[in-house]
Every structure is written in structure tokens, then in C-alpha cells.
Amino acid sequence: MKLWNLFLAFFRVGILGYGGGPAAIPLVHKEVVEKCKWMSDDDFSDVLALGNALPGPIATKLAGYIGWRVSGLLGMVVSVLATIVPTIILMILLLTVLNAYREKPWVQGMSKAVVPVVGVMLAVMTWDFIAKSTSGLGKVWGIALIVISFVVLELIGIHPAILIGILIVGALLSPGKRKERKVKAS
């Protein structure tokens, strides 16, 4: 039953995640966290951050990891196939139709109308992440990290993986973690 649920969840992501990997992230969150409750918001945020730091498409990385976490190797295979097969089939069908009718106004309008929907989905998820970071870190640290991240990523142009890697190393080496490890060891 878990394999079937994994297939359905990632099939829906694959078939409705129009707009690329970033558009699929809110759909994966909806299926995995809200609907199926396979992981918490915090776990999803961690997986998303690490997935973004690694090379490759985010939707398949999320599907592979979550499928493995929920149901082992077979769950990983089912989740990845459910994510990519609909996309491949839709791409073949849609490109065939769109190429045949690409000069028609309804085709051009359809392509433009999807962009605002994806923008709203990403904005809602971004707002959730901002609220979570300010409640977890405190408003001052949360807002400071948001501003620093914006400057580093958008104005300076550093790759997100470098920033995420620095934050992970910083968290692992922070004095609070070292004290926590010493307490656990004793």
C-alpha cells in the first residue's frame, strides 16, 4: 500500500508540476508533509536544503530520497519513476500539439497563464519558510540570514550550494553543538 501511495503522490507531482523543479516543490510538500504525513515541515526543509545543494533536478532528488525513506530501495525506484515518466510522456504529447498549433493565440495564452500560478505557489511556500525560520532562529537572526542570503545569492552571485555548505559547516562547528555533543558523550 505504501508503494502505491508513493506512486500516486509522485505521479501527481510529475503530472502537475508544470514549470520545472521549483514548481514541483510546493506539490511535493503538499503530498509528503500535508497529505501523506511522511515527514514533518522541518524534515522537508532540511531535505529541500540539502537537495538544492546537490547537483541535478530537485524533483527527482526529492522523490528518490523520500521514496527511500518511506519504503526503502523499491520505494525510491517507484517514486523516481512516478515523477519522471509522466513528464516524459507529457513532454512528447504537449510538444507535438504545441508545435502543431504554436501560432494560435490560445496556445500562447496558456503558456503565459501558468507563470503567475507557479509564482503564487512559490510565494506561499517562501512565506512559510520565512515564518518558520524566524520562529526557529528568532526574528533578528532569521531576518539577518534572509538578508545575508539575498545579498550573497542575488547581488554577489554565489552559488546556493556554497552558501548552504557554509551554513551546514557553521552549524556543525557552532559552540552550542559542541557543548551538546560533550553532554551526550558524558
Side-chain angles (χ1 to χ4, degrees), residues 2-3 30 38-39 46 77-78 88 96 110-111 127-129 139 144-145 151 165 171 182:
K2 275 188 178 176
L3 288 176
K30 184 89 174 169
W38 286 322
M39 61 177 45
D46 293 343
V77 171
V78 166
I88 293 168
T96 303
M110 180 183 73
S111 298
W127 181 251
D128 287 346
F129 282 163
K139 285 189 178 179
L145 278 176
V151 168
K182 284 181 182 174

Side-chain angles (χ1 to χ4, degrees), residues 61-125:
K61 288 183 287 187
L62 288 175
Y65 176 74
I66 294 166
W68 173 78
R69 185 172 159 161
V70 171
S71 199
L73 181 63
L74 195 54
M76 178 186 74
V77 171
V78 166
S79 299
V80 170
L81 287 176
T83 302
I84 62 172
V85 170
T87 306
I88 293 168
I89 293 170
L90 279 176
M91 190 166 174
I92 292 168
L93 293 174
L94 278 176
L95 285 177
T96 303
V97 171
L98 291 177
N99 274 334
Y101 299 103
R102 69 176 169 234
E103 301 301 324
K104 300 287 184 187
W106 65 270
V107 172
Q108 294 173 357
M110 180 183 73
S111 298
K112 291 176 185 170
V114 170
V115 174
V117 174
V118 172
V120 168
M121 290 167 56
L122 289 172
V124 167
M125 201 170 100

